[in-house]
């Protein structure tokens, strides 16, 4: 579950909604425009994986 959903902050919503700031940024960069890994959903999925890993990390 995303941290924003847990904490009810939703600060990134204005960036990630369709045709939002994220899409505008990606569309402005020709080398990213056709790259499916730069879709907000995919970026979010990868970030969630990194957060899950970090949250599970413990010092011994």
């Amino acid at each position: 579950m995303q941290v924003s959903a847990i904490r009810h902050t939703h600060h990134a919503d204005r960036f990630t909604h369709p045709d939002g700031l994220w899409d505008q940024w990606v569309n402005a960069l020709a080398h990213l425009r056709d790259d499916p890994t730069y879709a907000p959903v995919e970026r979010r999925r990868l970030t969630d994986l990194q957060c899950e890993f970090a949250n599970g990390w413990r010092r011994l």
Side-chain angles (χ1 to χ4, degrees):
M1 181 175 273
Q2 292 179 325
V3 172
S4 64
I6 295 169
R7 296 189 179 147
H8 305 288
T9 56
H10 306 288
H11 293 297
D13 287 354
R14 66 187 178 127
F15 298 100
T16 58
H17 68 80
D19 297 322
L21 296 174
W22 181 274
D23 286 343
Q24 292 174 30
W25 176 74
V26 170
N27 287 330
L29 302 171
H31 66 284
L32 298 179
R33 195 174 299 138
D34 296 324
D35 188 342
T37 61
Y38 274 87
V41 171
E42 181 61 14
R43 292 280 101 191
R44 182 176 296 150
R45 186 186 74 78
L46 293 172
T47 301
D48 286 345
L49 287 173
Q50 291 173 336
C51 290
E52 286 177 28
F53 174 78
N55 289 336
W57 189 262
R58 293 184 297 154
R59 286 196 167 186
L60 299 176

